[in-house]
Amino acid sequence: MKPRSCYIRSMQPIIALFDIDGTLLSAGGAGRRAVELALGEVLHELDQDVSLESVEFAGRTDPWIVRAALMQYGVAAEEDLIDEVLRRYAVHLPRELVRAPAFEVLPGVLSLLSELRDRDDLVLGLGTGNTEPAAYAKLERGGLDSFFAFGGFGSDHAERPEVLRTALHRGLKRTGAQFEDARVVVIGDTPHDVAAAQAIGAHCIAVSTGGYGAEELQAAGASVVVSDLQASAVRLAFDRGGPA
């Protein structure tokens, strides 16, 4: 019997790159609380409560968020300082995920991932603004970590298009395909996901389970917009080998 990788190489592969927050799961504010705790430890000399309510999280990478937070408090966003906040964030996050009362895996996610994992023509990856440790902490909390063996992460780059480009490169290595021979589908919940998908020449299935509605996602240029990942349009998009 041929190994699965041989089947993938013999057909046009699909590389599916999933966002995490708002797409696969809702962490119930655990990520924001963990960043606030980490930032508070690093900036303790400011002698004030740290709040990131005014910092945009949706669709942004962890380094981008920390840089914006530091600037909010008038602190030079040097790379070493960003790295230290992210290191402390990764320590706080697992505890905050356990404490989060509203943590949930979003509708349709488990069944969709289970179906896609069994396909011979498709590989599952991540395209997320989370750093790699944060990404897998969230996925493990939701029982989804076993679905994803590769991806692009906020720890690879602060800008989302480059995160996806990294994920795509890793997906191509796994399939043995060239870019022109593969179909790349990004699944996300924000206009930032849509724009990043367009930047790397990928299709985008946008799901309105995050903070953006269907009209905003359509206006951003998503190939397919669905209310959640239970929608039949998601399966149809993959059945066609990718959205039109």
Side-chain angles (χ1 to χ4, degrees):
M1 184 175 184
K2 284 185 179 180
R4 184 167 180 264
S5 60
C6 292
Y7 283 107
I8 291 175
R9 288 183 173 87
S10 68
M11 60 183 74
Q12 185 177 46
I14 302 168
I15 299 172
L17 301 176
F18 281 82
D19 172 55
I20 294 178
D21 296 285
T23 300
L24 295 177
L25 56 83
S26 171
R32 185 182 294 270
R33 287 192 296 275
V35 175
E36 288 175 341
L37 288 169
L39 194 66
E41 290 175 352
V42 171
L43 302 182
H44 63 278
E45 68 276 5
L46 292 180
D47 195 28
Q48 59 179 299
D49 292 335
V50 171
S51 173
L52 302 183
E53 289 303 316
S54 63
V55 176
E56 182 183 16
F57 273 60
R60 297 299 190 178
T61 65
D62 286 349
W64 188 99
I65 291 166
V66 172
R67 180 176 287 109
L70 290 169
M71 292 173 63
Q72 172 181 285
Y73 285 94
V75 177
E78 298 177 356
E79 292 302 320
D80 287 350
L81 187 58
I82 292 172
D83 289 344
E84 178 62 16
V85 175
L86 291 174
R87 185 189 69 77
R88 291 171 182 259
Y89 163 64
V91 172
H92 286 291
L93 181 61
R95 291 194 294 268
E96 293 305 315
L97 288 168
V98 170
R99 293 170 181 165
F103 183 99
E104 66 169 329
V105 174
L106 293 170
V109 166
L110 186 58
S111 61
L112 176 63
L113 294 180
S114 298
E115 291 174 24
L116 295 181
R117 179 171 60 182
D118 290 339
R119 288 180 55 160
D120 291 327
D121 63 336
L122 185 148
V123 291
L124 286 172
L126 296 166
T128 174
N130 287 279
T131 61
E132 189 168 358
Y136 281 102
K138 291 178 180 180
L139 292 172
E140 183 178 8
R141 172 72 171 83
L144 304 176
D145 50 312
S146 64
F147 288 101
F148 300 101
F150 76 96
F153 306 91
S155 42
D156 293 314
H157 205 283
E159 297 302 324
R160 201 167 194 98
E162 295 308 314
V163 168
L164 286 186
R165 212 178 304 279
T166 300
L168 170 57
H169 176 72
R170 290 170 178 160
L172 291 171
K173 286 185 69 174
R174 293 184 72 85
T175 64
Q178 299 298 311
F179 174 74
E180 57 272 18
D181 299 323
R183 285 193 174 96
V184 186
V185 182
V186 171
I187 304 89
D189 69 296
T190 75
H192 297 300
D193 297 305
V194 179
Q198 292 171 335
I200 68 165
H203 301 292
C204 185
I205 299 173
V207 57
S208 57
T209 43
Y212 292 89
E215 289 185 2
E216 293 171 284
L217 297 169
Q218 288 168 347
S223 308
V224 175
V225 178
V226 294
S227 58
D228 59 45
L229 292 179
Q230 295 179 109
S232 58
V234 177
R235 271 79 176 171
L236 291 173
F238 283 113
D239 285 346
R240 291 197 304 267

